[in-house]
Each structure stands twice: as structure tokens, then as C-alpha cells.
Amino acid sequence: QGRSFFPMSCSKSPQEKSTRVDIDALRQSHKDQWERLGKLASKRILSAKETDELISLYGQVGQQLSAVRSQAPDPDAIVELSRLLSRARGRIGYHQNARATNVRRFVTVTMPMGLYKARWFSVGVMVASLAVSLICALYLLNNMTVFDLLVPPATRRSIAQSQFVGYYSQYAHSEFASQVWTNNARVAAISIISGLTGFFPILVQWQNALNVGLMGAVMSEQGEIGKFFAYISPHGLLELSCVFMSGGVGLRLFWTMLVPGRRTRGQALAQEGRVLVSAVISLTAALAVAGALEGFVTPSDLPLWIKITLGASAAVGLWAYTFILGRRAALQGDDGDLDPSQIGAYAAQA
């Protein structure tokens, strides 16, 4: 075995030597072409003549790559030419530059349109959630037996005296803000993406409303309702707005599946899904602000009126962003969807 193994590993067959010579000769003879193609593919702006040259070189180098693969399959040469052609293909083919106009349109049209299309669903979720929270709190305050079973008196005192306030200062401000943002953004994204079920968004809103009502009842029963609103308002107004909107967007997607209109169900879900996914980005950004408020403003020593003003301003800004910019885009006939050249064409259907 040793005598048969070493000769195979230490020597090359005449065919391998010929292949190596062919690759070296190919590289040497077409070196200028490859370098020129790479230079043109890297150029930011091409003249008409340079564009014609790029296309011509692309075809020639493509033929050379095909010959290498079929006649002399050298891995290094194949990788080198594949990368070069990939760069050139991206330069020749359609692509949309990330210009300032594209970014501005995404921020001022696409993102608010994703929220605007679900505006009435969001308002409905907000009204229903606040009603459930209020009913839950009033029911517990008027049925102490049930209240005691859910939250024993000793636990209620501990929450009102230390746990409620201590929750906002148990971690470093930056770490706490990051944790809150990550958790809330995850819940909002799942609520939207799972909107097709029609069940999960409602479940999330139901649980959230009951928790708010329960905590409000605890603080009210202990005579600390003022502390409850003082600590919940700076971040809670924006955070709850995001929660309501995520539920509204998810239910809007579910409604689209049930009532696609004049489009096929697949086309309706594709179009509305593309628009509503931008709502995930909008709400993630808003929740980052809410997390910063909860981590830095809520536990701070700032005057209460400043805390509430900051929180209310952030929440009003989100709703204004939705209704003002979203309505303006709708009046201009922009549906917030991608450009047709990016979407592709649908087959005609009766």
C-alpha cells in the first residue's frame, strides 16, 4: 500500500500537467480582458461606449469560463472567473441604488402606509383593549374574593411598596432598555407575522389587556394609583400604541386573506404582506424609543410633568406619523408597494 500510495500523490499525470499549462496560458493571454472587465464592473458611472465594452467583455469571459469548466476544470480559475462575471452581471443587470430619494420614500411613504392601511384595525384594538383592562380592574376591585385568589393581599402590598418601582431600576439603564426593546419588538413582529391565524394577535392583546388591568387594580387597591400612572405613562403610552398597532396590522393581514377583493387571494396576500412588513420596521423603531424611555426616563429623577410630556409626545408622534404621512401617500395614489420592476409580473387570470 505504501509503494502504491506515494507515487500517486507525488507525481502528476501528463493530462494534469497539460491542464495546468492550458490554464496558465489562458490566464496570460486573457489577463488584459479580465482586468478591464473588473475595472469596468467597479466603475460608478459608465459611458455608452464603456457600457457596450462591458457587455462585450462579459460575453467573452463567459465563454472562457464555459471552456474552462468543460475542458480544463481548474477550481482556482473557475472561482476567479465566476466572481468577476458576478460583479459584471450585477453591473449590467437591473439594480436599484440606495439613493437618498429611495430611503426618503421608504421612510415617508412605505413605512407610514404599512401602518395607515391597518389604522382602523389598530384603533379598534386600542378601544377594545382599554375596555378589557378597565373592566378587569373594576371587576377585581368589586370582587375581593376573586382578587385574593389571583393576588394574595401580602403580594399586593409587596408589589405596591417595592416591586412595581423596583422593576424599573433592577438593571443598568442601557441593559434594561435593550431587554425591553428586544422583547417588545419580538412580540410585535410575531403578532404581525402570525396575523394569518387570526387568533394569535387577539390572544396577545387579550393577555396584555388583562395584565394592565390586573396591575392597575393592585395599585389602586393599595392607594398607589398615582404612582401607577406616573411610572407607566413615560414609556407606556408609546409602548401600548405599538402593541395596539401590531395587533391591528396582524388582523388586517387576516382580513385580507378572508376578503381579497378583486385580486386572487395569493396576489392580495403578497401585495398586502409586502406593505405590512414595513410596519414591522416602523414599530421596531418606535419600540426602540419606548425602550429608551423605559430604561432612562421612567426611573430617572426628572420632574413628573417632563416624563409624561416626553412619553405623550412620542405616542402622539407615532399616531401622527401614521395618519398624516400615510393619508398623504394614499391621496397621492401611492399604495406603498414595491416598484413593479421589483415585483415581477402576474399571469392574467379571469
Side-chain angles (χ1 to χ4, degrees):
Q1 290 180 346
R3 286 191 297 271
S4 64
F5 173 80
F6 285 104
M8 292 179 61
S9 63
C10 295
S11 64
K12 294 185 178 179
S13 66
Q15 184 180 1
E16 290 176 325
K17 291 180 180 179
S18 176
T19 298
R20 184 74 265 167
V21 172
D22 291 343
I23 292 299
D24 292 339
L26 181 69
R27 181 178 282 107
Q28 188 64 31
S29 60
H30 297 291
K31 178 180 178 182
D32 293 340
Q33 282 184 320
W34 298 356
E35 290 181 351
R36 179 60 177 166
L37 180 60
K39 184 177 180 180
L40 291 174
S42 302
K43 234 182 149 179
R44 186 170 178 269
I45 299 176
L46 295 174
S47 65
K49 182 178 179 180
E50 289 173 330
T51 302
D52 291 339
E53 184 183 4
L54 175 65
I55 295 174
S56 177
L57 287 173
Y58 177 79
Q60 295 174 31
V61 176
Q63 292 176 355
Q64 295 161 16
L65 174 60
S66 178
V68 170
R69 282 175 169 166
S70 60
Q71 301 174 15
D74 181 79
D76 294 336
I78 291 175
V79 170
E80 179 183 354
L81 293 179
S82 296
R83 289 177 178 174
L84 180 61
L85 288 172
S86 178
R87 288 168 54 196
R89 187 183 307 113
R91 195 70 179 84
I92 294 172
Y94 171 81
H95 68 284
Q96 187 175 25
N97 294 327
R99 297 189 297 267
T101 53
N102 298 326
V103 176
R104 182 167 61 251
R105 181 185 181 278
F106 183 75
V107 174
T108 60
V109 175
T110 306
M111 290 172 61
M113 180 57 72
L115 298 174
Y116 183 75
K117 283 192 168 186
R119 62 195 183 282
W120 300 125
F121 287 90
S122 301
V123 171
V125 168
M126 178 180 66
V127 172
S129 296
L130 293 178
V132 170
S133 296
L134 181 61
I135 292 172
C136 174
L138 292 176
Y139 175 81
L140 292 176
L141 291 173
N142 288 278
N143 293 271
M144 296 305 298
T145 302
V146 178
F147 204 178
D148 291 341
L149 289 175
L150 290 176
V151 187
T155 303
R156 298 201 297 268
R157 286 193 297 271
S158 176
I159 291 174
Q161 293 173 4
S162 61
Q163 292 183 28
F164 183 76
V165 176
Y167 168 76
Y168 298 99
S169 57
Q170 58 183 331
Y171 300 107
H173 295 317
S174 58
E175 180 182 354
F176 184 60
S178 177
Q179 289 179 353
V180 169
W181 174 45
T182 302
N183 179 69
N184 290 339
R186 178 181 59 82
V187 172
I190 294 175
S191 183
I192 293 174
I193 295 172
S194 64
L196 286 175
T197 65
F199 169 75
F200 192 80
I202 295 176
L203 177 62
V204 171
Q205 301 301 319
W206 175 260
Q207 292 177 339
N208 183 72
L210 291 181
N211 288 334
V212 172
L214 176 62
M215 189 57 63
V218 169
M219 298 300 286
S220 177
E221 190 265 340
Q222 293 293 316
E224 299 287 357
I225 191 65
K227 183 185 294 184
F228 172 77
F229 286 110
Y231 274 83
I232 206 103
S233 297
H235 65 277
L237 294 175
L238 178 59
E239 186 177 291
L240 288 174
S241 295
C242 292
V243 172
F244 300 150
M245 287 184 176
S246 67
V249 171
L251 291 176
R252 159 79 183 185
L253 195 60
F254 178 66
W255 179 255
T256 298
M257 182 183 68
L258 295 180
V259 187
R262 298 176 64 88
R263 303 164 292 182
T264 66
R265 186 165 282 104
Q267 291 176 358
L269 288 175
Q271 180 181 2
E272 298 302 328
R274 285 190 298 267
V275 176
L276 296 182
V277 163
S278 66
V280 177
I281 302 176
S282 305
L283 295 177
T284 299
L287 285 169
V289 177
L293 290 172
E294 188 169 358
F296 293 94
V297 176
T298 298
S300 70
D301 296 328
L302 289 172
L304 179 59
W305 68 271
I306 294 180
K307 294 182 181 181
I308 295 178
T309 299
L310 290 174
S313 299
V316 170
L318 177 61
W319 287 102
Y321 179 75
T322 299
F323 277 88
I324 296 177
L325 293 185
R327 183 174 182 272
R328 185 179 69 180
L331 291 176
Q332 293 174 351
D334 199 322
D335 61 0
D337 200 0
L338 296 175
D339 187 88
S341 61
Q342 297 173 303
I343 301 172
Y346 288 107
Q349 298 183 19

